[in-house]
Amino acid sequence: MATRYWIVSLPVQTPGSTANSLWARLQDSISRHSFDTPLYRFNVPDLRVGTLDSLLALSDDLVKSNVFIEGVSHKIRRQIEELERAGGVESGALTVDGVPVDTYLTRFVWDEGKYPTMSPLKEIVGSIQSQVSKIEDDMKVRGAEYNNVRSQLSAINRKQTGSLAVRDLSNLVKPEDMVTSEHLVTLLAVVPKYSQKDWLSSYESLDTFVVPRSSKKLYEDNEYALYTVTLFAKVVDNFKVRAREKGFQVRDFEYSSEAQESRKEELEKLMQDQEAMRASLLQWCYASYSEVFSSWMHFCAVRVFVESILRYGLPPSFLSAVLAPSQKGEKKVRSILEELCGNVHSIYWKSEDDVGVAGLGAYMIL
């Protein structure tokens, strides 16, 4: 069952209060009034503030960027699930930097080497967006290559398993079924399943140069039966016309053991290519999901930092945390956060709209 996580920000506003003391109050309130709600500290580093105008401009883009980054992470997750099903692989827990996704979230640590905290916030966000965009573009290319091979394989399988009226007949016909000489030729007729008696009683009379008792049934599916018929080569065109008039379809077919072997090798190669590409794409998706999710969490940290300053003012003084309230417990948790925010900022927790809540991001972990 999916778990809904909240990343929240609370102002440290009481004189003499600190983030640690506010954390203790939050822990106490949750344990007393919503004990079944998991609670974790979310460590947002001291980022470079810049100007108020730059924060306001950045804030306008953060919501749209969050939707984009979250969307890419979900696309990769769906691709992983599809690839695992296609390979008959049991779905396993996804990881980020070698640990389960929820563990990475609840024990988040800022990667200073990748995103220096002294860099301008716009630069950090731009770097995250660029990286995620590149991964999305790569996924489109890799996915298209894999789907192209799948489409080719599906087309071949349809020809081999579809109706006798359209399917490939080479694997149904043996060399001994066909007569080919200077004057004689064997045709393959597709006969409606419930017209077989009509075929057997009439095919010899469709032309005077049909070999008597030469028709043999090779195969039958839910709609049609496949019959051979041997006749003189000079009357093939006339026979086809007469057969079509009676509702029988003569399929164009020339037996070739070389062509049959070539088709078999092509099918085997496509199957091998598809499996190799599926396994390669799956490994790439595992690594890319880790990369995108990590980037998303760094993005969320920036968003919490920016929104907290715009809501609570300078200098930055706030507590950020991760909670996972149950659906029935969300209202109680909101009331706890409202009380800890104080009268000035409690309005942010009255709305049930996530977008309108200060420093709150909500998303799903499966």
Side-chain angles (χ1 to χ4, degrees):
M1 183 177 178
T3 301
R4 180 179 172 87
Y5 286 95
W6 291 0
I7 301 178
V8 304
S9 171
L10 300 172
V12 179
Q13 55 191 357
T14 307
S17 181
T18 64
N20 287 335
S21 63
L22 182 56
W23 171 244
R25 291 175 58 199
L26 177 59
Q27 286 181 304
D28 180 63
S29 296
I30 291 295
S31 65
R32 286 191 293 113
H33 302 294
S34 186
F35 66 90
D36 59 343
T37 298
L39 173 66
Y40 312 91
R41 191 85 173 253
F42 188 72
N43 295 306
V44 177
D46 293 327
L47 299 171
R48 185 174 171 181
V49 176
T51 65
L52 185 59
D53 286 343
S54 67
L55 292 179
L56 287 169
L58 186 60
S59 177
D60 292 338
D61 296 330
L62 288 177
V63 174
K64 289 185 292 184
S65 296
N66 184 74
V67 171
F68 166 69
I69 298 170
E70 181 180 4
V72 173
S73 75
H74 291 332
K75 285 179 186 177
I76 298 176
R77 178 189 283 270
R78 287 193 296 270
Q79 182 70 82
I80 288 172
E81 293 171 348
E82 178 185 327
L83 292 170
E84 288 178 335
R85 283 196 301 270
V89 178
E90 185 175 346
S91 181
L94 295 175
T95 62
V96 180
D97 288 352
V99 299
V101 176
D102 55 350
T103 301
Y104 181 86
L105 165 62
T106 56
R107 300 178 185 175
F108 173 73
V109 177
W110 183 273
D111 188 340
E112 176 68 22
K114 197 171 186 178
Y115 306 107
T117 53
M118 289 308 296
S119 299
L121 294 175
K122 186 176 181 180
E123 184 178 307
I124 294 175
V125 171
S127 175
I128 292 173
Q129 290 174 322
S130 176
Q131 185 178 17
V132 174
S133 294
K134 183 179 184 304
I135 289 175
E136 183 189 38
D137 290 341
D138 286 349
M139 183 174 69
K140 289 178 180 178
V141 173
R142 291 169 183 267
E145 292 174 348
Y146 172 67
N147 287 329
N148 181 48
V149 173
R150 285 183 64 195
S151 296
Q152 292 180 52
L153 194 55
S154 294
I156 291 176
N157 286 331
R158 280 197 299 273
K159 286 182 179 180
Q160 291 187 331
T161 59
S163 163
L164 282 171
V166 295
R167 68 171 290 175
D168 178 27
L169 303 177
S170 59
N171 62 336
L172 302 179
V173 182
K174 299 176 182 178
E176 57 266 27
D177 296 325
M178 308 299 291
V179 175
T180 303
S181 67
E182 183 180 354
H183 300 292
L184 295 176
V185 65
T186 297
L187 301 181
L188 297 179
V190 176
V191 179
K193 187 174 182 178
Y194 299 106
S195 300
Q196 295 183 70
K197 288 184 178 180
D198 186 22
W199 163 260
L200 292 172
S201 64
S202 65
Y203 78 89
E204 293 180 6
S205 62
L206 294 180
D207 194 278
T208 55
F209 289 94
V210 175
V211 177
R213 295 185 297 280
S214 65
S215 186
K216 180 177 67 173
K217 182 162 71 172
L218 302 183
Y219 184 80
E220 182 178 318
D221 63 17
N222 293 331
E223 299 177 78
Y224 301 98
L226 181 66
Y227 281 86
T228 62
V229 59
T230 302
L231 62 159
F232 280 75
K234 65 181 181 179
V235 299
V236 165
D237 290 339
N238 182 63
F239 183 87
K240 287 182 177 180
V241 172
R242 297 289 301 277
R244 185 165 55 248
E245 290 174 352
K246 290 186 67 66
F248 309 133
Q249 176 189 358
V250 177
R251 293 282 307 273
D252 292 328
F253 180 82
E254 183 177 346
Y255 184 84
S256 169
S257 58
E258 293 81 7
Q260 189 170 357
E261 185 63 27
S262 176
R263 280 190 289 267
K264 182 180 178 182
E265 290 176 357
E266 179 188 6
L267 177 60
E268 290 176 351
K269 185 178 183 303
L270 278 173
M271 292 176 67
Q272 292 171 359
D273 289 347
Q274 178 185 248
E275 178 54 28
M277 293 182 72
R278 186 201 66 81
S280 175
L281 181 56
L282 182 58
Q283 291 305 313
W284 180 89
C285 285
Y286 285 145
S288 296
Y289 183 83
S290 173
E291 195 66 38
V292 170
F293 193 90
S294 173
S295 298
W296 186 19
M297 289 304 98
H298 284 80
F299 180 89
C300 286
V302 172
R303 187 180 178 193
V304 168
F305 183 81
V306 171
E307 295 294 340
S308 296
I309 291 175
L310 293 177
R311 301 284 187 175
Y312 307 144
L314 289 168
S317 184
F318 60 91
L319 166 72
S320 52
V322 174
L323 302 96
S326 62
Q327 188 172 4
K328 65 179 182 180
E330 286 188 6
K331 187 174 182 181
K332 186 61 181 177
V333 171
R334 284 181 181 275
S335 68
I336 293 172
L337 297 174
E338 177 186 344
E339 180 182 350
L340 292 175
C341 268
N343 295 331
V344 177
H345 305 293
S346 63
I347 188 174
Y348 299 138
W349 298 103
K350 293 181 183 297
S351 170
E352 294 189 2
D353 179 8
D354 294 338
V355 178
V357 178
L360 169 64
Y363 47 95
M364 308 299 288
I365 302 294
L366 300 183

